[in-house]
Amino acid sequence: MSSSLNVSLTDKLRRFVDTRASDQDVYSTPSEYVRDLIRRDMEGVAILTKMRRGLDDIKNSRFASETVLDIIEEYR
């Protein structure tokens, strides 16, 4: 299921999005560009959450077999 979200942008931001969502770039539409930004942010949040848990585990003398590199590789 999809839903819409209206976002107000300054002229400068709109020009930037339009440039990114052009035939000369990776994205074909502004929506595609924004969806990719959100997905990347979600991945970053997930990585940070796992890293924070790992630091908490270390602080409390709990150890796991996963390394930070394992966690990052999972999201590539």
Side-chain angles (χ1 to χ4, degrees), residues 30-73:
S31 292
E32 186 180 312
Y33 174 60
V34 171
R35 282 190 299 269
D36 188 52
L37 288 175
I38 294 168
R39 284 187 199 102
R40 289 172 188 246
D41 188 41
M42 289 171 69
E43 288 173 356
V45 168
I47 290 169
L48 287 174
T49 299
K50 283 190 169 193
M51 291 176 72
R52 285 184 184 124
R53 284 185 193 143
L55 291 172
D56 186 57
D57 286 344
I58 291 168
K59 181 180 174 183
N60 293 295
S61 299
R62 297 185 307 257
F63 297 95
S65 59
E66 267 187 319
T67 68
V68 171
L69 295 177
D70 293 331
I71 294 168
I72 291 170
E73 188 61 34

Side-chain angles (χ1 to χ4, degrees), residues 3 8 14 17-18 22 24 37 40 43 62 64 66-67 70 75:
S3 77
S8 296
R14 180 59 198 234
V17 170
D18 287 342
S22 69
Q24 301 166 0
L37 288 175
R40 289 172 188 246
E43 288 173 356
R62 297 185 307 257
E66 267 187 319
T67 68
D70 293 331
Y75 292 94

